[in-house]
Amino acid sequence: MTIHKTIALLAFVLTTIIAHAENYPYRSDYLWVTVPDHADWLYQTGEKATVEIQFMKYGIPQETEITWTLSDDMQKADKEGKLTLKNGKAKLNIGTRNTPGFRDLKLKATIDGKTSQHHIKLGFSVDKIKPYTQEPNDFSSFWHKQAESLKDTPLYYTREKAAEYCTDKISCDLIKLRVDRTHYVYAYLTYPKDAEKGKCPVVICPPGAGIKTIKEPLRHKYYAENGFLRLEMEIHGIDPRLSIHTFSDIQRAFGAKGNNYLENGLDNRDNYYMRHVYLAMVRAVEFMTSLPEWDGKNVAFQGGSQGGALALIGAALNPQTTLAVANHPALSDMAAYAEKGRTGGYPHFINSNGMLTPEKIKVMAYYDVVNFARHIQCPVLMTWGFNDNTCPPTTSYAVWNTLSCDKTPLITPINEHWTSEATEFALMEWIKKHLK
C-alpha cells in the first residue's frame, strides 16, 4: 500500500503541474482548488474526510457562498448544503462511507451571474472494492472456441503506403485486416524506416469508443522512432480516409441510444456486436507477429477507455502477449448498476431502457473486462483518475483488484477522462523498459 500511495501522490503532483484538467479549464477566469486532508485522496471506511476548498476569480480569493452536494460514485446526491468562503477558503467535513467505494463532492459558485462548478472524488477502502460481475462457468471455453474459429479464415490483409504520415524517420502503411468471414478492421502501421528483420517489438493500440476515424497516426510517432512496430486500430471496418462529415453521418445513424453498437445483439452472446471486435484483437496479434521485422518475443497492447478495455481483453485472449497498458478501462463491471447503489462502468447501461434485463446481464458477463482480467498472465501497467465520470474509479478498482498478474499502478487522482501527453509518453517508456 505504501508504494501504491507514493505513486498516486507523485502522479498527482506531476499531473497538476503539466496538464490542463477538465476541472481547470484553459483560460478560465475561475479557479477551484480542493485539497483533501489525505494527500492520496484515500481513506478507510468509517474514517471521516475533510476537504479544504478555495475559489478564485482572476486569481483573487472570493468572499462568496457556495453550494455543495455529496453522493456515492455516479449515484444521486444524498446530502447537500451551503458554505461561506472567508478570503476564498473554507473547510468541509464530508463524512465517510461505510462500504468500499468513492464519495463525490460537487461544488457550485455563482459570481456576477456566471456559474462555475467543480467536483472531487475521495476513495474509501478502495483495495476492498470487488466487482459485481461474476465469471460464467464456460467463460474460458467460450472464448477458446471463438478464437479457434478464426482458423476457418486464413490471415488476409491489404497494405498500402500512407505517404501523408511518413517522416524522415518512420514509415506508415494503411492496413485492411480481415477478422473473419464477414468483418474487417482498418489500422495504421507505423515502423522505423531502417527497421531490421527480427529487431522490432510490437505494440497494438485499439481505439476509444465511438464511430470515428483513426486519430492522427503521428500522435504517437515516438513508438516507431523508438524501434516499435505500432498498430493504431479502428474496429468498425470503416476506411479512416473518409471525411469527418461521413463519419458524423454514420455516428448519427448507428451510434445513438437504442441503436448503439455497444448495445446491438446483447441478447445473444454469439451475436453481440463486440464479439468480432474482441476477435480482432486476436487477429491483430496474428498479423503483427507475421511481420518479418517482429523481434519474435515482445507483443504489447496499449489503449485508453474502450481501448484500455480492449488492451486487457487482447492480453487475456492472446497467450503471446508480454505486456499490457490500460488507461481507465471501459466495459468494466457493466452490470453493477443492477444492484441498487452500485456503480457500473461505461457504457452505463442504466441510462438505456431495457439494457439491464437478466438475459442481457448474462451476456454482459462474457464481455466484461473483469472476467478477462482474471486470466491475464503478463505484466500490466494500469492508470486511472478519481474524478472520471466516464470510466469511474470504482470500476477501475474493480478491475485492478481482480488482476492477479504482476501489476503496476499509475494513479492520478485529479484526472477526469483524460491522460496528459507526458503520461502517454511515460507509458511507452514503461513498455520499453520491460521488454524481454
Side-chain angles (χ1 to χ4, degrees):
M1 187 65 178
T2 302
I3 294 175
H4 192 81
K5 289 185 176 181
T6 301
I7 292 172
L9 179 57
L10 289 174
F12 163 65
V13 173
L14 288 172
T15 304
T16 303
I17 293 171
I18 64 179
H20 295 296
E22 294 172 32
N23 272 339
Y24 299 97
Y26 182 52
R27 294 184 178 178
S28 174
D29 293 337
Y30 303 100
L31 176 65
W32 293 89
V33 179
T34 41
V35 184
D37 58 345
H38 283 195
D40 59 4
W41 302 25
L42 296 176
Y43 301 78
Q44 295 301 310
T45 50
E47 186 177 12
K48 291 183 179 180
T50 299
V51 179
E52 180 182 86
I53 302 164
Q54 301 179 43
F55 178 65
M56 290 163 272
K57 181 178 181 181
Y58 307 136
I60 301 170
Q62 298 296 296
E63 301 271 353
T64 189
E65 183 180 75
I66 65 172
T67 60
W68 59 266
T69 63
L70 276 167
S71 67
D72 288 344
D73 194 8
M74 305 302 294
Q75 302 294 314
K76 292 182 180 179
D78 52 58
K79 289 185 179 180
E80 61 182 28
K82 295 182 179 181
L83 191 65
T84 300
L85 303 181
K86 302 294 184 183
N87 194 29
K89 293 183 180 181
K91 287 188 177 182
L92 178 65
N93 185 333
I94 72 165
T96 188
R97 273 190 68 135
N98 294 320
T99 57
F102 281 80
R103 292 288 279 168
D104 190 355
L105 170 65
K106 296 182 177 70
L107 305 166
K108 184 186 295 185
T110 301
I111 301 290
D112 300 327
K114 302 289 185 180
T115 298
S116 178
Q117 300 183 64
H118 181 75
H119 85 124
I120 179 176
K121 296 184 188 181
L122 306 183
F124 294 83
S125 296
V126 294
D127 290 337
K128 296 180 181 178
I129 293 173
K130 300 299 180 185
Y132 168 89
T133 302
Q134 301 297 308
E135 183 175 324
N137 292 332
D138 62 346
F139 178 84
S140 294
S141 60
F142 171 76
W143 281 109
H144 176 74
K145 181 181 178 181
Q146 299 304 310
E148 286 291 303
S149 72
L150 294 184
K151 293 179 180 179
D152 295 337
T153 52
L155 177 65
Y156 173 80
Y157 60 90
T158 62
R159 184 171 177 174
E160 179 183 345
K161 183 66 66 179
E164 66 273 29
Y165 299 124
C166 295
T167 72
D168 59 333
K169 295 180 180 179
I170 68 173
S171 292
C172 182
D173 298 340
L174 178 64
I175 307 298
K176 184 179 181 182
L177 177 64
R178 181 170 64 185
V179 178
D180 52 32
R181 293 179 181 178
T182 56
H183 297 97
Y184 284 79
V185 294
Y186 284 85
Y188 282 109
L189 173 67
T190 52
Y191 53 97
K193 277 195 171 177
D194 59 354
E196 298 180 32
K197 184 177 180 180
K199 295 293 185 180
C200 298
V202 157
V203 177
I204 298 168
C205 181
I211 302 173
K212 56 195 175 187
T213 188
I214 297 173
K215 285 187 177 180
E216 175 63 48
L218 294 182
R219 185 171 60 104
H220 290 121
K221 66 178 182 178
Y222 45 78
Y223 276 88
E225 290 173 348
N226 279 268
F228 290 94
L229 306 174
R230 180 177 175 86
L231 194 71
E232 195 97 16
M233 301 179 63
E234 65 86 45
I235 59 171
H236 302 293
I238 304 173
D239 192 325
R241 296 170 295 188
L242 294 176
S243 72
I244 189 171
H245 302 292
T246 300
F247 273 100
S248 295
D249 288 342
I250 298 171
Q251 174 69 30
R252 281 192 292 271
F254 301 105
K257 285 184 180 180
N259 193 28
N260 187 298
Y261 70 90
L262 287 167
E263 299 176 0
N264 288 342
L266 196 49
D267 296 294
N268 186 310
R269 67 179 186 178
D270 295 310
N271 294 335
Y272 184 38
Y273 184 93
M274 295 301 286
R275 187 184 69 85
H276 83 265
V277 174
Y278 289 15
L279 292 180
M281 302 304 109
V282 178
R283 190 66 90 184
V285 171
E286 183 183 1
F287 163 66
M288 292 294 277
T289 57
S290 74
L291 300 177
E293 295 86 0
W294 176 48
D295 66 8
K297 296 178 292 185
N298 293 287
V299 176
F301 277 92
Q302 181 266 318
S305 195
Q306 177 186 265
L310 294 174
L312 295 175
I313 290 162
L317 290 176
N318 291 281
Q320 281 182 285
T321 306
T322 54
L323 296 168
V325 176
N327 310 352
H328 40 252
L331 313 179
S332 300
D333 216 14
M334 294 180 283
Y337 285 118
E339 182 177 307
K340 187 177 180 180
R342 296 271 315 226
T343 302
Y346 182 88
H348 303 293
F349 285 130
I350 193 173
N351 298 322
S352 300
N353 292 332
M355 295 307 298
L356 291 177
T357 64
E359 295 78 15
K360 291 181 179 180
I361 288 173
K362 183 177 179 181
V363 174
M364 282 180 210
Y366 288 93
Y367 289 89
D368 200 291
V369 171
V370 296
N371 287 333
F372 288 93
R374 294 186 174 100
H375 298 275
I376 296 174
Q377 300 298 315
C378 68
V380 170
L381 170 63
M382 189 169 143
T383 178
W384 66 100
F386 291 174
N387 290 338
D388 196 337
N389 281 339
T390 303
C391 298
T394 301
T395 60
S396 286
Y397 272 104
V399 173
W400 175 257
N401 293 338
T402 300
L403 290 167
S404 59
C405 58
D406 180 16
K407 56 185 181 179
T408 302
L410 175 54
I411 303 172
T412 55
I414 203 169
N415 285 33
E416 300 200 19
H417 197 60
W418 55 270
T419 50
S420 71
E421 289 298 321
T423 296
E424 291 282 337
F425 188 80
L427 303 182
M428 185 275 293
E429 291 186 312
W430 183 86
I431 293 174
K432 191 174 180 179
K433 181 179 178 181
H434 290 82
L435 295 174
K436 293 183 177 181

